[in-house]
Amino acid sequence: MLLMSLACRAGGQEEPAAEASAPRQILVMLHLPAPHFRPDASYGANYRDDAGRLARRRVAEALAREHGLTILEGWAMPALNVDCYRMAEPPGAEPGKIVEVLSRDARVDWAQAINTFSAQASDPLYPVQPAARQWQLGEVRKAATGRKVLVAVIDSGVEADHPDLAGQLAFQENFVDGQPYAAETHGTGVAGVIAALAGNGVGIEGVAPDARLMALRACWQVAGGATRCNSFTLAKALNFALMHGAQVINLSLSGPADRLLRELIDVACARGVRVVGAVDAASADGGFPASHPGVFAVAADSRRQLTAQVLMAPGRDIPTAAPGARWGMVSGSSYSAAHISGMMAVLSELRPGLTLPQVRSSIVLQPGGINLCATVTRLTGKCTCVCVEVTPPKIARQP
């Protein structure tokens, strides 16, 4: 199971032993006037050096001097109209005190601690894919395959040249500071469930094999196979996804609410982007971002009591791609979320203009999960497989 859980520890990308002794890190947001930033295809950490950015850098340096902070990195986030600075607190600083003071400073939009995320865990394999039978994928693909829909996989690294993923990546970006891009287990597995090639004679078939993936590495694999992310790396990847036209965003992670991530998800939802989050079975509310309004929350285990808003999808003994041109069996709501992201790509191809409430009302539920065939029938009016009779939803015209 590779569901992410969040612990409020020091940020950074160190191994567990180093994290305990590392200084606490915080994020400081400074207002970014819209006219001063023009994103382009090469947008990255070294964003355009203009007078406005230099002025905000001077403000950041002044704040750092006043509070004994060390500036580690600055990053423009035009999706939120802010510059985000990652800073280290001085040794011995009282937890939360500097953030509290900075949040009252007129020069600062807001400040917060960095939270560290920790991971818990008719091709040959197509017949054993649960979704092949439960979702009748062979028949659903007669209507749609997620063609040209852009899905952001914000996760650990994806193996771009894996036999089941070769040519599927539209973007491959690394947002983990100080580490080269690497192919890793969790990201590769999630990407495989969403968009593995169909009919190539090897491995598995993704739910949306004609979707295009944005492999945005915001998490990293550590010794022992665990996977970590933090507020800053995830925010950088979310901002990139929003600035480059993602239609679906997969977040196979969970934890307590985080303001920076919440603000970015709000922007995504306002734009009609379909954000999918994995439910944390150990959390009473399912954890963040699954508990966030507008996010499609997904779980794999139907034995616990779940709210009506939580979607069920295959998440046990799922065959998927693995680094090293291999395949393996995985379980967990991370992979359930990946199934729903693939489904969202299929629905986006069919009806790209639906609002998020309209998408939710179009999904046909049955005991144990989703009837994808009936959902497709509801949207197209044509039943291509064995599915229950459904009534087309009443979709109001948008003003």
Side-chain angles (χ1 to χ4, degrees), residues 123-300:
D123 290 336
L125 293 175
Y126 179 69
V128 299
Q129 289 180 241
R133 175 179 51 82
Q134 294 176 25
W135 283 9
Q136 302 175 65
L137 289 183
E139 301 300 323
V140 166
R141 287 180 186 147
K142 295 176 182 178
T145 57
R147 185 172 181 268
K148 295 185 178 180
V149 175
L150 197 54
V151 180
V153 178
I154 298 179
D155 214 296
S156 58
V158 175
E159 184 169 84
D161 58 355
H162 189 283
D164 252 344
L165 292 169
Q168 298 295 77
L169 274 58
F171 293 91
Q172 181 174 305
E173 299 289 339
N174 185 23
F175 298 99
V176 181
D177 185 46
Q179 294 186 18
Y181 191 99
E184 292 158 305
T185 302
H186 189 244
T188 301
V190 167
V193 170
I194 296 171
L197 292 165
N200 62 338
V202 297
I204 64 167
E205 297 185 11
V207 176
D210 289 332
R212 302 285 287 150
L213 298 178
M214 304 172 75
L216 307 183
R217 184 177 183 253
C219 309
W220 59 96
Q221 192 167 306
V222 299
T227 302
R228 299 279 175 87
C229 326
N230 68 42
S231 306
F232 191 48
T233 56
L234 291 169
K236 290 189 287 185
L238 274 167
N239 181 77
F240 185 94
L242 291 170
M243 299 303 292
H244 290 80
Q247 295 158 272
V248 180
I249 296 177
N250 186 87
L251 294 169
S252 288
L253 49 94
S254 183
D258 181 288
R259 178 172 176 178
L260 180 56
L261 302 183
R262 185 184 75 234
E263 298 260 357
L264 287 161
I265 291 171
D266 283 343
V267 172
C269 293
R271 296 182 182 181
V273 179
R274 297 158 193 197
V275 182
V276 179
V279 166
D280 181 357
S283 176
D285 65 354
F288 175 87
S291 61
H292 189 65
V295 171
F296 291 89
V298 189

Side-chain angles (χ1 to χ4, degrees), residues 63-70 88-91 98:
L63 292 167
R65 286 194 302 271
E66 293 168 17
H67 299 283
L69 299 163
T70 301
E89 292 189 343
I98 295 177

Side-chain angles (χ1 to χ4, degrees), residues 30 54 131 272 380:
L30 303 179
L54 292 176
T380 63

Side-chain angles (χ1 to χ4, degrees), residues 275-364:
V275 182
V276 179
V279 166
D280 181 357
S283 176
D285 65 354
F288 175 87
S291 61
H292 189 65
V295 171
F296 291 89
V298 189
D301 192 347
S302 60
R303 292 174 298 179
R304 60 167 288 189
Q305 186 67 33
L306 299 169
T307 69
Q309 293 298 304
V310 175
L311 300 174
M312 302 295 301
R316 293 181 178 276
D317 299 326
I318 308 298
T320 191
R326 297 179 296 109
W327 292 264
M329 301 293 284
V330 296
S331 295
S333 60
S334 282
Y335 303 101
S336 303
H339 278 84
I340 297 298
S341 289
M343 182 186 81
M344 290 299 169
V346 169
L347 302 186
S348 293
E349 178 189 348
L350 289 173
R351 298 292 295 273
L354 292 185
T355 66
L356 298 186
Q358 289 170 346
V359 172
R360 191 175 293 279
S361 68
S362 297
I363 297 172
V364 178

